[in-house]
Amino acid sequence: MKVYIETFGCTFNQADSEIMAGFLREEGARLTDIDSADVIIVNTCYVKHPTEHKVINRIKKLQELYPDKGLVVAGCMVEIDPGKLEAISGDASWLGPHQLKRTPEAVKAAWRGDVRRITGFTSDLKVGVPKVRSNPLIHILQICEGCNGSCSYCCTRFARGRIQSYPSDLLVEEAERAISSGCREIQLTAQDTAAYGTDTGERLSDIIRRISEIPGDFRIRVGMMHPASVLRDLDGLVEAYTSEKVYSFLHLPVQSGSDRVLADMRRGHTVDEFRMIVERFREVIPDISIATDIIVGYPTEDEEAFMDTCRLLEEVKPGFIHLSKYRHRPGALSSSLDEIDFRDLKRRSKTIEELKGKITENENRELVGTLQNILIVEKGRKGGFIGRTDSYIPVVTGDGEVGSFMRVRIRDATGTYLIA
C-alpha cells in the first residue's frame, strides 16, 4: 500500500503528519508521490479563512483528479467544521487530530473503498511514537497539545481542546534519540509552548534547560508563546534562552496594540505586558529576534486602535511580523459581531504590510557586513543553501553542507532573509 501525505498549516500540524507517516511505515505502507499513491491523506488546517478556502479547493481538486484513489481527510477541519466537510468530501474517510494512532485503520478503509470516520478526543500521547521526519536534520517535538486560552476569534481550540502536557522525561528521551540519530535542530512546538506544565506543575524553561544540556552540537527553536503564559515563568525562560544551543528567537504574538481590542479578543494580557516581556529578553539577550502576530480588522478595531497597533510595531520593531486579516471562524465568539467594511480591512492590511516590509528590511540591513554563525538546514530550491543565524534569521549562501555550522559574512539583505 502506497500513501501520499499533503500537509497544510503550522509546525504542530507538520509533526502530526510525521506521526501519521510513522504509524503507516510500521504497518508496512510506503510513502510515495501523489501519482503513485493508492491513498491520499490531506492533513488540514482551519485557523484562517484563506487557508480554509485552500483546503476546500484542494480536496475538491484531488477528488476530481484522482477519483480512483482513496482519500483520507485529517487535521483540524475534521473537528471544527464537519458539516462543510461532509458536503465536499463525498466518500472520503476522516481522521481527527487526536486519533493519529488509528491512521493505518483509516487508510486501509479508504484503500478498500470504505468510509471510516474516526473523530473525537483522546488522551493519546504524541511523544515517544513513530515518526518519519520531513527533514532528517530537524526534529519537531510536540511538548503539549491544546491551550488554556479563550481567544474570541479562535476556532483551533475546538479541534485541539484543553491543554495536555506530555511527560518531561519522555520529551527529553525523544530529543536525545533525535540528536543521537543526527538531528541538528529540535523544534519545540505547541499551540502555546509557554503553557506547558500548567496542568502538571512543570515549566517550559525546565524542558529547554534539560534539552540544552544534552551532549551534541545542535540548536533548539522554541515555538510560539502566549504573553499571558510567559508571565508565569518569565525569569526562568529568559535564563533558559541564554544557552548557546537555544536560538535567540522569541515568537510572542501581541495581535493588537490596543488594550481595549485585546480585552475584546479575550487575550488575557495588555500591551504593556507585551512590551515588558520584550524588554526583559532584550536586556539579557540584545541580539534576540522578536516575532509577533497581528490581526488587522478585528470587529471592534476602530481607526484609533489600528493606529495604536502601527505605533507599537514602529516602537518594538519586530524582525518577523505575521499578519492576518480578520475573518469570522466557525464557532468563534467574535463571529457574532459585524465584520468591518472590507475596504477598511484591505486598507489597514496594506498599511501594516508596508510597515512590516520597512521594519524587517531595516532590521536585516543592520546586519550587512557582520559575521554570523549559521546552521545549514536545507538546500535552496533555486540553488545554494539555506541556513539560520543564532537569532534564527534565514541566510542564503552559495556554499555549504547541509547539517554543518558555518561562519559567514553577510553581504546583502532583504525584508525576509540575509545573503552571505
Side-chain angles (χ1 to χ4, degrees):
M1 182 172 57
K2 292 174 287 187
V3 183
Y4 169 77
I5 303 176
E6 189 166 304
T7 309
F8 291 82
C10 64
T11 304
F12 200 92
N13 229 32
Q14 293 169 29
D16 277 355
S17 289
E18 293 182 357
I19 293 172
M20 286 190 275
F23 281 123
L24 287 168
R25 186 176 62 180
E26 282 206 334
E27 290 288 317
R30 185 156 61 92
L31 300 174
T32 186
D33 62 88
I34 192 167
D35 290 321
S36 304
D38 301 306
V39 178
I40 299 169
I41 299 176
V42 180
N43 191 8
T44 63
C45 173
Y46 224 59
V47 65
K48 298 179 184 179
H49 193 259
T51 310
E52 172 189 338
H53 278 276
K54 286 180 185 176
V55 165
I56 289 172
N57 290 337
R58 185 57 173 162
I59 291 170
K60 290 178 178 178
K61 190 68 174 178
L62 289 173
Q63 291 173 317
E64 175 187 328
L65 292 174
Y66 304 101
D68 298 327
K69 296 182 187 292
L71 178 63
V72 176
V73 180
C76 288
M77 185 182 185
V78 172
E79 297 290 353
I80 294 171
D81 207 350
K84 187 171 289 185
L85 182 56
E86 179 71 51
I88 67 162
S89 67
D91 57 359
S93 292
W94 299 356
L95 184 71
H98 292 268
Q99 301 284 354
L100 302 188
K101 72 177 183 181
R102 297 178 67 183
T103 302
E105 179 184 342
V107 167
K108 288 175 184 176
W111 190 26
R112 294 191 303 265
D114 298 336
V115 176
R116 187 68 53 86
R117 304 283 166 84
I118 306 173
T119 63
F121 287 72
T122 73
S123 57
D124 293 345
L125 301 181
K126 293 183 178 179
V127 59
V129 297
K131 289 182 180 177
V132 177
R133 300 185 195 101
S134 55
N135 183 332
L137 296 175
I138 298 176
H139 187 83
I140 305 173
L141 185 60
Q142 294 160 301
I143 63 173
C144 58
E145 184 162 17
C147 75
N148 291 328
S150 55
C151 299
S152 62
Y153 52 82
C154 179
C155 66
T156 302
R157 58 196 179 95
F158 303 130
R160 299 294 180 174
R162 303 299 290 174
I163 192 164
Q164 179 189 5
S165 299
Y166 301 145
S168 57
D169 287 345
L170 295 181
L171 294 172
V172 175
E173 287 173 12
E174 182 169 316
E176 288 174 337
R177 287 195 298 271
I179 293 161
S180 66
S181 69
C183 286
R184 292 293 203 174
E185 183 173 304
I186 304 294
Q187 297 185 351
L188 306 185
T189 187
Q191 280 71 61
D192 172 11
T193 59
Y196 176 81
T198 52
D199 54 334
T200 62
E202 297 184 283
R203 301 187 305 170
L204 172 62
S205 59
D206 293 329
I207 292 294
I208 298 172
R209 192 175 298 109
R210 289 180 65 185
I211 294 176
S212 66
E213 290 170 353
I214 298 171
D217 205 358
F218 62 93
R219 295 291 181 268
I220 301 168
R221 191 200 74 178
V222 182
M224 187 275 286
M225 295 190 281
H226 192 297
S229 300
V230 172
L231 292 172
R232 63 183 279 268
D233 189 21
L234 179 56
D235 291 340
L237 285 167
V238 172
E239 181 185 354
Y241 261 69
T242 60
S243 168
E244 64 179 11
K245 292 182 179 178
V246 179
Y247 280 121
S248 299
F249 171 76
L250 177 67
H251 185 184
L252 192 73
V254 66
Q255 305 299 8
S256 174
S258 162
D259 282 335
R260 177 182 58 77
V261 174
L262 288 177
D264 292 342
M265 289 178 169
R266 298 191 172 188
R267 286 287 291 167
H269 67 86
T270 66
V271 175
D272 279 345
E273 287 170 336
F274 169 81
R275 282 195 188 98
M276 183 269 290
I277 293 169
V278 171
E279 288 170 3
R280 285 289 302 279
F281 274 90
R282 280 177 168 167
E283 283 172 6
V284 179
I285 311 168
D287 62 347
I288 193 166
S289 293
I290 306 298
T292 198
D293 298 3
I294 297 294
I295 295 174
V296 66
Y298 186 81
T300 63
E301 179 190 78
D302 56 17
E303 282 299 316
E304 181 181 359
F306 171 68
M307 291 309 299
D308 285 341
T309 298
C310 293
R311 284 188 286 267
L312 179 66
L313 292 176
E314 289 175 329
E315 173 194 341
V316 175
K317 293 181 173 56
F320 301 82
I321 300 171
H322 308 127
L323 175 64
S324 299
K325 299 186 190 76
Y326 176 85
R327 295 297 299 273
H328 290 333
R329 305 306 301 129
L333 183 66
S334 61
S335 296
S336 63
L337 304 172
D338 291 333
E339 292 183 342
I340 71 169
D341 185 274
F342 182 74
R343 290 167 295 183
D344 289 332
L345 177 66
K346 189 175 180 180
R347 173 179 54 81
R348 292 178 191 175
S349 177
K350 182 180 178 182
T351 299
I352 296 284
E353 283 287 0
E354 291 173 351
L355 181 59
K356 166 187 171 180
K358 181 179 73 173
I359 291 171
T360 55
E361 184 164 356
N362 286 344
E363 290 294 296
N364 284 350
R365 288 210 171 275
E366 287 187 3
L367 297 174
V368 172
T370 64
L371 290 171
Q372 298 287 330
N373 297 313
I374 65 171
L375 168 62
I376 305 293
V377 292
E378 61 183 328
K379 290 184 177 180
R381 287 192 295 271
K382 298 180 181 179
F385 297 85
I386 309 297
R388 293 278 183 173
T389 70
D390 291 340
S391 299
Y392 204 64
I393 302 170
V395 178
V396 177
T397 180
D399 299 316
E401 181 181 346
V402 175
S404 66
F405 290 87
M406 295 179 61
R407 191 160 177 81
V408 298
R409 186 177 298 278
I410 306 303
R411 62 177 178 84
D412 204 354
T414 72
T416 53
Y417 60 90
L418 306 174
I419 301 169

mmCIF file of all heavy atoms in Angstrom, residues 111-144:
data_model
loop_
_atom_site.group_PDB
_atom_site.id
_atom_site.type_symbol
_atom_site.label_atom_id
_atom_site.label_comp_id
_atom_site.label_asym_id
_atom_site.label_seq_id
_atom_site.Cartn_x
_atom_site.Cartn_y
_atom_site.Cartn_z
ATOM 1 N N TRP A 111 -8.493 2.630 1.203
ATOM 2 C CA TRP A 111 -7.925 1.795 0.144
ATOM 3 C C TRP A 111 -8.954 0.778 -0.350
ATOM 4 O O TRP A 111 -9.044 0.486 -1.555
ATOM 5 C CB TRP A 111 -6.687 1.092 0.706
ATOM 6 C CG TRP A 111 -5.850 0.383 -0.319
ATOM 7 C CD1 TRP A 111 -5.738 0.661 -1.645
ATOM 8 C CD2 TRP A 111 -4.979 -0.729 -0.077
ATOM 9 N NE1 TRP A 111 -4.856 -0.194 -2.255
ATOM 10 C CE2 TRP A 111 -4.371 -1.051 -1.306
ATOM 11 C CE3 TRP A 111 -4.640 -1.464 1.055
ATOM 12 C CZ2 TRP A 111 -3.466 -2.097 -1.432
ATOM 13 C CZ3 TRP A 111 -3.729 -2.491 0.931
ATOM 14 C CH2 TRP A 111 -3.151 -2.813 -0.302
ATOM 15 N N ARG A 112 -9.757 0.262 0.588
ATOM 16 C CA ARG A 112 -10.796 -0.718 0.214
ATOM 17 C C ARG A 112 -12.015 -0.056 -0.411
ATOM 18 O O ARG A 112 -12.894 -0.738 -0.940
ATOM 19 C CB ARG A 112 -11.249 -1.496 1.443
ATOM 20 C CG ARG A 112 -10.191 -2.397 2.067
ATOM 21 C CD ARG A 112 -10.830 -3.323 3.098
ATOM 22 N NE ARG A 112 -11.534 -2.578 4.129
ATOM 23 C CZ ARG A 112 -11.005 -2.231 5.306
ATOM 24 N NH1 ARG A 112 -9.739 -2.545 5.575
ATOM 25 N NH2 ARG A 112 -11.714 -1.552 6.190
ATOM 26 N N GLY A 113 -12.101 1.260 -0.309
ATOM 27 C CA GLY A 113 -13.278 1.950 -0.806
ATOM 28 C C GLY A 113 -14.344 2.137 0.252
ATOM 29 O O GLY A 113 -15.454 2.590 -0.047
ATOM 30 N N ASP A 114 -14.012 1.817 1.516
ATOM 31 C CA ASP A 114 -14.951 2.014 2.618
ATOM 32 C C ASP A 114 -14.827 3.443 3.144
ATOM 33 O O ASP A 114 -13.844 4.139 2.890
ATOM 34 C CB ASP A 114 -14.672 1.039 3.764
ATOM 35 C CG ASP A 114 -14.853 -0.413 3.331
ATOM 36 O OD1 ASP A 114 -15.604 -0.638 2.360
ATOM 37 O OD2 ASP A 114 -14.237 -1.295 3.956
ATOM 38 N N VAL A 115 -15.825 3.869 3.900
ATOM 39 C CA VAL A 115 -15.811 5.185 4.536
ATOM 40 C C VAL A 115 -15.682 4.983 6.039
ATOM 41 O O VAL A 115 -16.527 4.328 6.662
ATOM 42 C CB VAL A 115 -17.082 5.988 4.216
ATOM 43 C CG1 VAL A 115 -17.081 7.313 4.973
ATOM 44 C CG2 VAL A 115 -17.205 6.227 2.722
ATOM 45 N N ARG A 116 -14.623 5.527 6.617
ATOM 46 C CA ARG A 116 -14.399 5.406 8.053
ATOM 47 C C ARG A 116 -14.215 6.806 8.620
ATOM 48 O O ARG A 116 -13.335 7.537 8.189
ATOM 49 C CB ARG A 116 -13.165 4.552 8.326
ATOM 50 C CG ARG A 116 -12.925 4.202 9.784
ATOM 51 C CD ARG A 116 -13.997 3.250 10.314
ATOM 52 N NE ARG A 116 -14.145 2.076 9.494
ATOM 53 C CZ ARG A 116 -13.417 0.969 9.616
ATOM 54 N NH1 ARG A 116 -12.483 0.900 10.545
ATOM 55 N NH2 ARG A 116 -13.635 -0.072 8.831
ATOM 56 N N ARG A 117 -15.012 7.178 9.597
ATOM 57 C CA ARG A 117 -14.946 8.499 10.216
ATOM 58 C C ARG A 117 -14.447 8.330 11.659
ATOM 59 O O ARG A 117 -15.210 7.921 12.541
ATOM 60 C CB ARG A 117 -16.312 9.178 10.182
ATOM 61 C CG ARG A 117 -16.916 9.299 8.747
ATOM 62 C CD ARG A 117 -16.264 10.425 7.985
ATOM 63 N NE ARG A 117 -16.524 10.418 6.555
ATOM 64 C CZ ARG A 117 -17.612 10.930 5.963
ATOM 65 N NH1 ARG A 117 -18.581 11.440 6.699
ATOM 66 N NH2 ARG A 117 -17.720 10.935 4.649
ATOM 67 N N ILE A 118 -13.178 8.616 11.881
ATOM 68 C CA ILE A 118 -12.549 8.414 13.187
ATOM 69 C C ILE A 118 -12.271 9.788 13.793
ATOM 70 O O ILE A 118 -11.317 10.474 13.406
ATOM 71 C CB ILE A 118 -11.245 7.601 13.059
ATOM 72 C CG1 ILE A 118 -11.508 6.287 12.318
ATOM 73 C CG2 ILE A 118 -10.645 7.331 14.430
ATOM 74 C CD1 ILE A 118 -10.245 5.500 11.990
ATOM 75 N N THR A 119 -13.113 10.207 14.717
ATOM 76 C CA THR A 119 -13.019 11.550 15.281
ATOM 77 C C THR A 119 -13.094 11.488 16.806
ATOM 78 O O THR A 119 -13.171 10.415 17.396
ATOM 79 C CB THR A 119 -14.156 12.436 14.741
ATOM 80 O OG1 THR A 119 -15.421 11.893 15.163
ATOM 81 C CG2 THR A 119 -14.128 12.497 13.221
ATOM 82 N N GLY A 120 -13.093 12.661 17.445
ATOM 83 C CA GLY A 120 -13.221 12.727 18.899
ATOM 84 C C GLY A 120 -11.883 12.879 19.597
ATOM 85 O O GLY A 120 -10.814 12.706 19.007
ATOM 86 N N PHE A 121 -11.967 13.191 20.882
ATOM 87 C CA PHE A 121 -10.783 13.472 21.683
ATOM 88 C C PHE A 121 -10.298 12.215 22.396
ATOM 89 O O PHE A 121 -11.096 11.348 22.770
ATOM 90 C CB PHE A 121 -11.089 14.563 22.711
ATOM 91 C CG PHE A 121 -11.222 15.933 22.107
ATOM 92 C CD1 PHE A 121 -12.338 16.275 21.346
ATOM 93 C CD2 PHE A 121 -10.230 16.873 22.269
ATOM 94 C CE1 PHE A 121 -12.465 17.523 20.774
ATOM 95 C CE2 PHE A 121 -10.341 18.134 21.697
ATOM 96 C CZ PHE A 121 -11.454 18.461 20.957
ATOM 97 N N THR A 122 -8.982 12.144 22.570
ATOM 98 C CA THR A 122 -8.373 11.068 23.334
ATOM 99 C C THR A 122 -7.280 11.678 24.221
ATOM 100 O O THR A 122 -6.960 12.864 24.107
ATOM 101 C CB THR A 122 -7.709 10.009 22.428
ATOM 102 O OG1 THR A 122 -6.499 10.564 21.873
ATOM 103 C CG2 THR A 122 -8.636 9.573 21.303
ATOM 104 N N SER A 123 -6.693 10.875 25.067
ATOM 105 C CA SER A 123 -5.542 11.321 25.874
ATOM 106 C C SER A 123 -4.251 10.693 25.347
ATOM 107 O O SER A 123 -3.254 10.624 26.055
ATOM 108 C CB SER A 123 -5.750 10.950 27.345
ATOM 109 O OG SER A 123 -5.946 9.553 27.486
ATOM 110 N N ASP A 124 -4.264 10.244 24.091
ATOM 111 C CA ASP A 124 -3.075 9.629 23.489
ATOM 112 C C ASP A 124 -1.915 10.630 23.477
ATOM 113 O O ASP A 124 -2.096 11.811 23.173
ATOM 114 C CB ASP A 124 -3.365 9.187 22.055
ATOM 115 C CG ASP A 124 -4.373 8.049 21.989
ATOM 116 O OD1 ASP A 124 -4.627 7.433 23.040
ATOM 117 O OD2 ASP A 124 -4.888 7.794 20.886
ATOM 118 N N LEU A 125 -0.728 10.148 23.787
ATOM 119 C CA LEU A 125 0.466 10.984 23.769
ATOM 120 C C LEU A 125 1.030 11.076 22.363
ATOM 121 O O LEU A 125 0.955 10.124 21.580
ATOM 122 C CB LEU A 125 1.534 10.411 24.696
ATOM 123 C CG LEU A 125 1.176 10.247 26.169
ATOM 124 C CD1 LEU A 125 2.368 9.689 26.932
ATOM 125 C CD2 LEU A 125 0.733 11.575 26.786
ATOM 126 N N LYS A 126 1.615 12.232 22.042
ATOM 127 C CA LYS A 126 2.299 12.415 20.765
ATOM 128 C C LYS A 126 3.805 12.532 20.977
ATOM 129 O O LYS A 126 4.510 13.205 20.230
ATOM 130 C CB LYS A 126 1.748 13.642 20.041
ATOM 131 C CG LYS A 126 0.293 13.457 19.594
ATOM 132 C CD LYS A 126 -0.230 14.636 18.815
ATOM 133 C CE LYS A 126 -1.665 14.359 18.355
ATOM 134 N NZ LYS A 126 -2.224 15.506 17.598
ATOM 135 N N VAL A 127 4.288 11.865 21.997
ATOM 136 C CA VAL A 127 5.717 11.810 22.281
ATOM 137 C C VAL A 127 6.082 10.339 22.434
ATOM 138 O O VAL A 127 5.286 9.539 22.932
ATOM 139 C CB VAL A 127 6.068 12.609 23.558
ATOM 140 C CG1 VAL A 127 5.312 12.085 24.773
ATOM 141 C CG2 VAL A 127 7.566 12.589 23.831
ATOM 142 N N GLY A 128 7.264 9.983 21.932
ATOM 143 C CA GLY A 128 7.686 8.591 22.001
ATOM 144 C C GLY A 128 6.955 7.685 21.033
ATOM 145 O O GLY A 128 6.926 6.467 21.218
ATOM 146 N N VAL A 129 6.361 8.256 19.975
ATOM 147 C CA VAL A 129 5.639 7.473 18.976
ATOM 148 C C VAL A 129 6.445 7.463 17.681
ATOM 149 O O VAL A 129 7.351 8.285 17.486
ATOM 150 C CB VAL A 129 4.223 8.039 18.730
ATOM 151 C CG1 VAL A 129 3.384 7.940 19.999
ATOM 152 C CG2 VAL A 129 4.288 9.488 18.251
ATOM 153 N N PRO A 130 6.152 6.548 16.751
ATOM 154 C CA PRO A 130 6.900 6.505 15.481
ATOM 155 C C PRO A 130 6.728 7.798 14.689
ATOM 156 O O PRO A 130 5.644 8.390 14.672
ATOM 157 C CB PRO A 130 6.271 5.324 14.741
ATOM 158 C CG PRO A 130 5.538 4.541 15.770
ATOM 159 C CD PRO A 130 5.113 5.504 16.824
ATOM 160 N N LYS A 131 7.801 8.240 14.038
ATOM 161 C CA LYS A 131 7.752 9.431 13.197
ATOM 162 C C LYS A 131 8.647 9.234 11.975
ATOM 163 O O LYS A 131 9.659 8.549 12.048
ATOM 164 C CB LYS A 131 8.241 10.671 13.961
ATOM 165 C CG LYS A 131 7.294 11.162 15.051
ATOM 166 C CD LYS A 131 7.833 12.418 15.730
ATOM 167 C CE LYS A 131 6.871 12.891 16.806
ATOM 168 N NZ LYS A 131 7.394 14.067 17.545
ATOM 169 N N VAL A 132 8.259 9.847 10.882
ATOM 170 C CA VAL A 132 9.104 9.936 9.691
ATOM 171 C C VAL A 132 9.330 11.422 9.444
ATOM 172 O O VAL A 132 8.405 12.141 9.065
ATOM 173 C CB VAL A 132 8.452 9.281 8.463
ATOM 174 C CG1 VAL A 132 9.345 9.472 7.234
ATOM 175 C CG2 VAL A 132 8.187 7.805 8.705
ATOM 176 N N ARG A 133 10.541 11.904 9.675
ATOM 177 C CA ARG A 133 10.822 13.337 9.572
ATOM 178 C C ARG A 133 10.790 13.796 8.118
ATOM 179 O O ARG A 133 11.359 13.146 7.241
ATOM 180 C CB ARG A 133 12.190 13.661 10.173
ATOM 181 C CG ARG A 133 12.324 13.309 11.640
ATOM 182 C CD ARG A 133 13.661 13.777 12.190
ATOM 183 N NE ARG A 133 13.916 13.132 13.480
ATOM 184 C CZ ARG A 133 14.711 12.091 13.660
ATOM 185 N NH1 ARG A 133 15.367 11.589 12.616
ATOM 186 N NH2 ARG A 133 14.879 11.558 14.852
ATOM 187 N N SER A 134 10.177 14.941 7.876
ATOM 188 C CA SER A 134 10.187 15.516 6.526
ATOM 189 C C SER A 134 11.566 16.070 6.196
ATOM 190 O O SER A 134 11.974 16.095 5.039
ATOM 191 C CB SER A 134 9.127 16.615 6.410
ATOM 192 O OG SER A 134 9.296 17.593 7.416
ATOM 193 N N ASN A 135 12.283 16.542 7.210
ATOM 194 C CA ASN A 135 13.684 16.942 7.073
ATOM 195 C C ASN A 135 14.473 16.125 8.087
ATOM 196 O O ASN A 135 14.274 16.260 9.291
ATOM 197 C CB ASN A 135 13.855 18.441 7.347
ATOM 198 C CG ASN A 135 15.290 18.926 7.134
ATOM 199 O OD1 ASN A 135 16.250 18.172 7.292
ATOM 200 N ND2 ASN A 135 15.432 20.193 6.773
ATOM 201 N N PRO A 136 15.374 15.261 7.634
ATOM 202 C CA PRO A 136 16.071 14.368 8.565
ATOM 203 C C PRO A 136 16.932 15.087 9.585
ATOM 204 O O PRO A 136 17.319 14.485 10.595
ATOM 205 C CB PRO A 136 16.932 13.496 7.641
ATOM 206 C CG PRO A 136 17.056 14.264 6.372
ATOM 207 C CD PRO A 136 15.792 15.039 6.233
ATOM 208 N N LEU A 137 17.224 16.378 9.352
ATOM 209 C CA LEU A 137 18.055 17.133 10.284
ATOM 210 C C LEU A 137 17.242 17.898 11.326
ATOM 211 O O LEU A 137 17.798 18.422 12.286
ATOM 212 C CB LEU A 137 18.932 18.130 9.522
ATOM 213 C CG LEU A 137 19.956 17.533 8.564
ATOM 214 C CD1 LEU A 137 20.645 18.631 7.796
ATOM 215 C CD2 LEU A 137 20.972 16.705 9.338
ATOM 216 N N ILE A 138 15.927 17.981 11.130
ATOM 217 C CA ILE A 138 15.070 18.764 12.028
ATOM 218 C C ILE A 138 14.053 17.844 12.688
ATOM 219 O O ILE A 138 13.288 17.159 12.007
ATOM 220 C CB ILE A 138 14.349 19.887 11.267
ATOM 221 C CG1 ILE A 138 15.368 20.868 10.671
ATOM 222 C CG2 ILE A 138 13.385 20.624 12.185
ATOM 223 C CD1 ILE A 138 14.761 21.957 9.819
ATOM 224 N N HIS A 139 14.044 17.839 14.014
ATOM 225 C CA HIS A 139 13.084 17.027 14.747
ATOM 226 C C HIS A 139 12.067 17.946 15.411
ATOM 227 O O HIS A 139 12.425 18.805 16.221
ATOM 228 C CB HIS A 139 13.772 16.181 15.811
ATOM 229 C CG HIS A 139 12.846 15.211 16.474
ATOM 230 N ND1 HIS A 139 12.531 13.982 15.926
ATOM 231 C CD2 HIS A 139 12.134 15.299 17.623
ATOM 232 C CE1 HIS A 139 11.678 13.354 16.720
ATOM 233 N NE2 HIS A 139 11.420 14.135 17.758
ATOM 234 N N ILE A 140 10.801 17.763 15.060
ATOM 235 C CA ILE A 140 9.723 18.541 15.668
ATOM 236 C C ILE A 140 9.239 17.799 16.905
ATOM 237 O O ILE A 140 8.778 16.659 16.808
ATOM 238 C CB ILE A 140 8.559 18.760 14.686
ATOM 239 C CG1 ILE A 140 9.058 19.409 13.393
ATOM 240 C CG2 ILE A 140 7.487 19.638 15.326
ATOM 241 C CD1 ILE A 140 8.005 19.513 12.307
ATOM 242 N N LEU A 141 9.353 18.445 18.059
ATOM 243 C CA LEU A 141 8.997 17.829 19.333
ATOM 244 C C LEU A 141 7.752 18.512 19.887
ATOM 245 O O LEU A 141 7.798 19.654 20.355
ATOM 246 C CB LEU A 141 10.166 17.960 20.314
ATOM 247 C CG LEU A 141 10.027 17.280 21.671
ATOM 248 C CD1 LEU A 141 9.841 15.773 21.516
ATOM 249 C CD2 LEU A 141 11.235 17.572 22.546
ATOM 250 N N GLN A 142 6.624 17.817 19.808
ATOM 251 C CA GLN A 142 5.375 18.344 20.354
ATOM 252 C C GLN A 142 5.400 18.168 21.870
ATOM 253 O O GLN A 142 5.448 17.052 22.367
ATOM 254 C CB GLN A 142 4.188 17.607 19.749
ATOM 255 C CG GLN A 142 4.032 17.850 18.250
ATOM 256 C CD GLN A 142 3.183 16.784 17.575
ATOM 257 O OE1 GLN A 142 3.517 15.605 17.629
ATOM 258 N NE2 GLN A 142 2.100 17.177 16.924
ATOM 259 N N ILE A 143 5.387 19.284 22.602
ATOM 260 C CA ILE A 143 5.522 19.196 24.055
ATOM 261 C C ILE A 143 4.172 19.173 24.765
ATOM 262 O O ILE A 143 4.072 18.698 25.898
ATOM 263 C CB ILE A 143 6.405 20.334 24.607
ATOM 264 C CG1 ILE A 143 5.769 21.704 24.346
ATOM 265 C CG2 ILE A 143 7.802 20.261 23.997
ATOM 266 C CD1 ILE A 143 6.517 22.845 25.032
ATOM 267 N N CYS A 144 3.150 19.678 24.128
ATOM 268 C CA CYS A 144 1.797 19.628 24.681
ATOM 269 C C CYS A 144 0.823 19.936 23.563
ATOM 270 O O CYS A 144 1.212 20.434 22.496
ATOM 271 C CB CYS A 144 1.615 20.603 25.846
ATOM 272 S SG CYS A 144 1.957 22.345 25.471
#
